[in-house]
Structure formats: C-alpha cells, structure tokens
Amino acid sequence: MDAAALSPFSSAGAALRRQASVRPDAEALAFPLSGGRRTFAEWLEEAEAVARGLLGLGLEPGQHVALLAENRLEWPISQLGFALAGLVSVPLNSHYRRDDLAYALDHSDSVAVLLSRRFRSSEYLEMLQGQRKQFPRLQHVICFDGGGEDVLAYDDIVKAGRVSRRPLPEVSSSDIAALLFTSGTTGFPKGALLNHAAMLADSWGSARRLRVAPEDRWTSMIPLFHCAGCIMNLLGTLQSGATYVGVPAFDPVAMCEMIEKERCTLLSGVPTAYTAMLNHPERRRYDLASLRAGTCGGADVDGELLRRCAVEFPIPRLCQVYG
C-alpha cells in the first residue's frame, strides 16, 4: 500500500499548508495555561519563519535538530518548522538529567537544539551549557526564553526568518521526519528513525478511528516528546483541521478546569493520570460533558477503569491504544 492510501498528505508541512489554505482563521493551537494561541494561518507563518531562520544559520535538510521543553506553544511551531525545512526533529525527554541529555545529544548527531531555559526543577540550559564542549557537532543552542552568551534567542530566529526570502526545500513522504528515543528500560535508549509517511499514517489512522473533525478540540496529558504527543495527538489534529489544546504538565484539577473552559471533545492520557482525575474529590465540580472520546495508553489498563471513566466523566468512547 502506498503512502497516499494511508494519509491525504505527503508531509506534515503539506498538511499545515492545506489547513492554512482552507481554514486560515480557525484556531489550530491553544495553550491556555501558558497564554498562547494560533490560527492555522498564524501557525504556518511562524513555522515557515522558523524554517527559514534555521536554514539561514547554515543548517541543511536532513540534519538533526533536538527539542527539549515542556509542552508549550513553541513546540508544535518548531516541529512544523523543522518539517518545512526538511530537518529531522529529535524530541528529548523532558525528564532527562545531565547524563541522559549528554547521551541523547551525542547519539542523535544533533547540530542544533531548541530548548526552554528551565522547567520545574530542571535547569535545561544550565545542564547543556555545562557540558557543551562534549558535543563538537552541536553548532547552535536556541532558547525559547531569550538568548545569552553563545545562546541564540528563538524570537531572533523567527524575526530573521520573517524577512528572509530563502526558498524552502521540497519534502517527500519518504524523507526522515523524526528521531525518537525508546524509553531505555532494558538498556540505553535507542533512536528510531521515522519518515513523514509513517508518522502521518499513524496519526491519520488514529484520528479517523476516533472520528476527529474540524470542530473537535483534542487535549492530552501526554508530553509532546512522546510519540503519542507529537505524532498521534498533534499530527492527528493537524490533518483533521481540529484544534490541539496543550497543557505544560499534568495536574488533575487544572486538567478538569481546562476541559470545562475550553470545551475539549477528546482527551488522551495514561492509566495513572485517568485514575488521579477519576478519584480526585474536586472532579465533580467540573462539567466534562463536552468530552466524547479519548485514548488511554502507555501501560496496561484495567477495563473497569475505562468503564468508570466512560460513565463518570463522562467520556463515552474512551479506548485503549498501544503500539
């Protein structure tokens, strides 16, 4: 079966261009807890600026660029910027500590990294700068929260890209789109290379099974560095013309409040998080009736948990996913 039979799009960039063409003013990204929203047209404009800005630094299609951040607005913009530039995205686990980060950057052959300065107790930029000499291939460090010595500011990359007239490359479905690391439970994490066709087929199939439509608003407890986050959730909403509603990190009360305020229709999570929401004493204060479907994965789940969520949230079409 060829790629065209598995997704209507040849690449993530092609999907974004299509949605920006047919529904430019529809909300594509919403990060209400961190204050950012973008329409499809705005997402495309900023992603193209990121793409041109990175190519303007001397990066070339096919090179690897790492992402180290919590779920924030700049993440999906950067992911699509990489796709439009023909670069390979390397999502890094936001729980990495110094040695994990060193291993991943070295083994991924990343020539640049875009990152948050810090998140919670993790000082990402400080961790990286303290061992930067170990990574001779790493040419550029770009911080979402402003620049500094030997550190470029994300905003400056975007500004440079907006005035650039550099043509963007043709990207095919067989081009490598991402390098994702395994969890490393049985040894060192292994890098898995995924092309555009594979990522789009996975997310398109999931979205079709869940009947995702442009009026849907899909939120998730899952970090964007995980395949369920950056592929199933993000590319599923993108291909469907729906809205991705992001949260920096999971908190049961904050999640309930956001679902109510944003009128989210789909929810993705893991068994422990669903249990935390289900059993939280404040859950019943919130109206979650906008939810119509969702996914639960990442670990084995008791069928009784799914049944309770279906009835008590309610979220009637909650299903287990794996793979």
Side-chain angles (χ1 to χ4, degrees):
M1 187 178 292
D2 64 19
L6 299 173
S7 166
F9 305 103
S10 60
S11 69
L16 181 54
R17 284 177 173 138
R18 173 62 178 167
Q19 300 300 355
S21 172
V22 300
R23 49 180 60 84
D25 299 326
E27 188 172 67
L29 301 170
F31 284 75
L33 302 183
S34 50
R37 297 175 188 270
R38 294 288 188 277
T39 64
F40 282 105
E42 291 168 340
W43 188 3
L44 175 62
E45 187 275 332
E46 192 166 336
E48 287 185 335
V50 169
R52 291 191 171 94
L54 292 175
L55 294 175
L57 292 176
L59 275 65
E60 298 178 357
Q63 289 187 309
H64 296 187
V65 182
L67 264 172
L68 177 61
E70 75 282 15
N71 290 6
R72 57 186 293 169
L73 181 64
E74 293 86 354
W75 179 291
I77 293 171
S78 298
Q79 180 178 332
L80 268 292
F82 299 167
L84 289 162
L87 298 164
V88 177
S89 175
V90 183
L92 300 179
N93 191 317
S94 58
H95 301 293
Y96 276 168
R97 296 301 181 180
R98 181 185 174 93
D99 292 345
D100 303 313
L101 178 59
Y103 175 87
L105 285 175
D106 182 48
H107 283 257
S108 67
D109 291 336
S110 294
V111 298
V113 57
L114 279 70
L115 78 172
S116 296
R117 185 173 297 273
R118 65 179 61 84
F119 181 63
R120 290 183 168 174
S121 64
S122 296
E123 296 284 343
Y124 296 141
L125 185 58
E126 183 180 299
M127 267 197 298
L128 175 61
Q129 292 294 79
Q131 52 188 337
R132 188 169 174 179
K133 292 180 180 179
Q134 297 180 33
F135 317 119
R137 288 184 293 271
L138 189 65
Q139 302 166 18
H140 303 287
V141 175
I142 301 163
C143 185
F144 293 133
D145 306 303
E149 185 176 355
D150 295 325
V151 177
L152 301 172
Y154 169 83
D155 287 347
D156 290 339
I157 301 298
V158 173
K159 288 176 184 176
R162 281 180 169 143
V163 299
S164 171
R165 294 296 177 263
R166 179 183 295 271
L168 295 177
E170 293 291 329
V171 178
S172 76
S173 61
S174 61
D175 289 342
I176 299 299
L179 186 159
L180 272 70
F181 281 100
T182 61
S183 60
T185 52
T186 59
F188 287 114
K190 298 172 180 64
L193 293 170
L194 302 174
N195 63 22
H196 284 276
M199 294 171 67
L200 292 173
D202 174 273
S203 49
W204 180 252
S206 299
R208 296 282 65 73
R209 188 66 181 267
L210 293 166
R211 299 179 183 177
V212 183
E215 59 269 21
D216 277 308
R217 299 175 67 79
W218 195 347
T219 191
S220 176
M221 315 168 196
I222 300 168
L224 282 168
F225 71 76
H226 191 278
C227 60
C230 66
I231 300 177
M232 181 179 73
N233 295 148
L234 191 61
L235 297 184
T237 54
L238 172 59
Q239 292 186 88
S240 304
T243 306
Y244 175 83
V245 182
V247 295
F250 174 70
D251 174 84
V253 174
M255 181 62 74
C256 289
E257 183 176 353
M258 193 191 69
I259 291 169
E260 180 182 69
K261 288 185 175 179
E262 294 290 323
R263 306 310 295 161
C264 295
T265 58
L266 294 106
L267 173 63
S268 288
V270 297
T272 53
Y274 276 114
T275 300
M277 289 179 68
L278 191 65
N279 296 331
H280 200 284
E282 293 188 38
R283 175 181 55 80
R284 291 175 178 82
R285 292 175 47 202
Y286 298 95
D287 176 10
L288 308 182
S290 60
L291 292 173
R292 64 166 187 80
T295 64
C296 183
D300 290 338
V301 58
D302 182 357
E304 181 58 28
L305 173 63
L306 297 180
R307 283 188 289 272
R308 284 191 62 198
C309 289
V311 173
E312 296 181 35
F313 270 48
I315 178 170
R317 294 180 179 85
L318 178 62
C319 61
Q320 185 176 13
V321 294
Y322 65 93

